[in-house]
Amino acid sequence: MIRLINKQKLLVLAIALLFSLDGASKLTDYVNPLLGTATLWEPEDLGYVRKQKGRTWGAEVFPGATLPNAMVQLTPVTMWRAGGGYQYEDPTILGFAHTAMGHWNYIDLPILPVTGEVSADDYASPFSHDKESARPGYYQVYLDRYGVNAELTSTLRTGIHRYSFPKKAEKRLLINVAHNQNKVNEWDIKQVGPNAFAGNQGKGFYYYAVTDLPIKDIKIVESGKPDGAPVAVIDFKNSKSSKPLEVKVGISTVSIENAKANLEAESLNKSFEKVAKESDQTWENLLGKVKVEGSTDRYRNLFYTTLYRASLMPRLQSDVNGEFRDNRGQIVKDAGFRYYTNPAFWDVYRNQLILIGMLQPEVALDIIKSTIDRGEKSGGYIPTYFHGDHAPTFVIGSYKRGIKDFDLQRAYALALKSATVPGRNGRRYLEEYMKNGYITDENLPDCPFYEEHKGGVTKTLEYAYDDYAVAQIAKELGDTDNYEMLMKRSENYKNVFDPSTGFFRGRVEGGGWMTPYNPDMPYFQQMYREANGWNALFYAPHDPKGVIALYPSAEAVDQKLDSLLTTPWCGLEVSNMTGFIGNYCHGNQPGHNIPYTYYFIGKQEKSQQLLNQIMDRFYDMGKDKLAYAGMDDAGEMSAWFVLNAIGLYTYSPADPEYIVSVPLFDKVTFQLGKQPFTIDKKGNGTKIEKILVNGQPLDGYFINHTPLTTGSRIEIHTN
């Protein structure tokens, strides 16, 4: 990864030496933060021929320096309105921002080291990937326009920049005070000390920065374009010093004072090298909770990179003094827990949040407490994200896995209200769902993909699963009446199943089926959310046997699955659906449970063949082998790979169990609880002959969470 030349090479080699001082090979060496930053372009990768000018969505991740679930994500920005701010194909860098996510938001306070005169409309620097490197907690790139080698590292709440300028060049900083992913109308920047500047971008992002050179002045340079934004330019005294310029930036959602306190507590008295080494060690400790043996370097690289990616969201929001700004904009003190951003529930309820609980139960606990706090301040409804409900799945799934140090009754009150009381912050179309047992769609056979409608099929399927999750909380708390009511509602998925076609299909007012009906046609939210009929198949993770029973026989299910995998994609260019096997789309979440359906008709080996194909094809795609099949979506795509690579997947995350598959590795050692559990693969086949847990045969393919917490040994025998 380190490919610099001349004097820049020495700087990066010094960092590489720093990371390798421990002698032994490190797990962080397997991680490539650039994986997922590239876009798919070729028809064989996309599944169709490109015609649009715009990019197809990539994984939309960022390659910069960060820690697990950190407040700061210090990353290069190559374009505005990119998911993570960075696209591998872009030729220039606009700055180094302090937040990122991958959902077209954040990218706060981009800073760019510059020399000479620059304007607010022309400052981006060309760069080459030959002079770029990244590893957990560290990023480096050479800016060709300015001759500056830029290095980044970070703590939880501070970003540390080190810029090596050309000899005798005047050092300057250009700061996009009025631009993140969008133009910022409310902003401020001012010098607050000989070596310090501070300000805000809107209400909710505050910063305090120190430099190792005294500041001469800060000037605002206006844009000459009608839609442009001003920038701030900082000049320094002694700016021709031969030493690199170091900038440390603390951030906060509360105040400049808190941003300063974050900086002083975490990095003010630490060198760049010390912070970088501590960041590397933090990642090494987390990655080291799962150790794999056997298989190939490629799969080890993919495994630890996806494990890294699955450990970034949601983001910490509490300052070092415990304060945070809640979802009402009020400052909270002494809450007794660390506050996190709202998880991307629609994406990550499937796997990533449960994986966080397995690796970092203390973080999962605080995410749940944050969710409860947010819900109680939003009309008493449990928080949602984008589509559906799904927070109850995370709550009860975590509780049953042993994360119990929170008030389950408070969480239940929110979840039950969301499931039973229509309201602005509750489930959409809930009255209709409760009355009919399904949500209708409008009969719009020529509906363009990107139009927003009701998404009645997807909502009905997902609400049924959410009902099941809330029912499990009710059962835990002894609320028998609501448990029985919700369990009955959890069968509502059957109400949108059309036996004449074998698909979950839209229903119109009066109960009739949507006509004409084409299961190949993808929709953004007409009947289906970002899917077509094929990718909505078999979704009822709480009741797979019930789904199978909707078909006349196991053979009919087998044929349906085979047809899914062999019927060609319709050829439509849909930017958020890429990576196809027949009509199965791995590049978006709705179909991610489908591969396991063969298990329930006695053909587990066909599931494994499909899982192997997905893991082999869809995580290092494109000419540079740096593209995912689709968006990582806050770590869901990555968590899917991690769990399947070790042979345990959260088929129904509300339940404390995992479906067992054949791992990619000969041995997995997972530190869960006080003793690690191990998974040993016996044989290299796809058909599971038997599963032994501590020498005793497992009945079926699902293993409970409890044995994993007591140091169990799992043997998966295959042929």
Side-chain angles (χ1 to χ4, degrees), residues 67 89 106 209 213 219 237 245 295 299 376 486:
L67 291 178
E89 299 82 10
Y106 299 121
L213 284 179
K219 297 176 181 177
K237 302 174 183 177
L245 173 63
S295 194
Y299 278 140
E376 291 178 340
L486 290 162

Side-chain angles (χ1 to χ4, degrees), residues 30-98:
Y30 290 114
V31 177
N32 182 3
L34 289 163
L35 181 65
T37 62
T39 302
L40 295 176
W41 302 95
E42 300 303 322
E44 57 267 27
D45 291 330
L46 291 167
Y48 47 76
V49 177
R50 283 183 51 81
K51 297 175 184 177
Q52 298 177 2
K53 291 183 179 180
R55 278 187 176 92
T56 302
W57 293 0
E60 307 301 331
V61 299
F62 63 92
T66 190
L67 291 178
N69 304 101
M71 184 183 293
V72 163
Q73 297 151 333
L74 189 56
T75 191
V77 180
T78 62
M79 66 177 293
W80 309 121
R81 300 300 296 162
Y86 177 100
Q87 299 282 349
Y88 192 78
E89 299 82 10
D90 290 341
T92 60
I93 286 177
L94 298 163
F96 302 104
H98 293 77

Side-chain angles (χ1 to χ4, degrees), residues 336-352:
F337 61 91
R338 296 193 301 177
Y339 195 68
Y340 285 88
T341 54
N342 195 37
F345 283 117
W346 188 68
D347 307 300
V348 299
Y349 82 95
R350 295 168 169 85
N351 46 42
Q352 188 256 0

Side-chain angles (χ1 to χ4, degrees), residues 363-373 394-396 398-399 403 406 411:
V363 173
L365 175 62
D366 284 342
I367 295 171
I368 292 171
K369 291 181 177 181
S370 302
T371 299
I372 294 171
D373 182 88
F394 171 48
V395 169
I396 191 60
S398 299
Y399 188 86
I403 300 174
F406 66 94

Side-chain angles (χ1 to χ4, degrees), residues 286 289-290 307 311 354-362 670:
L286 179 59
K289 292 186 177 182
V290 190
L307 182 56
S311 305
I354 300 301
L355 182 59
I356 286 179
M358 297 171 75
L359 294 168
Q360 303 180 87
E362 72 285 354
F670 197 122

Side-chain angles (χ1 to χ4, degrees), residues 29 73 242 328 412 528 568:
D29 293 338
Q73 297 151 333
S242 60
R328 297 185 300 191
Y412 178 53
Y528 311 107

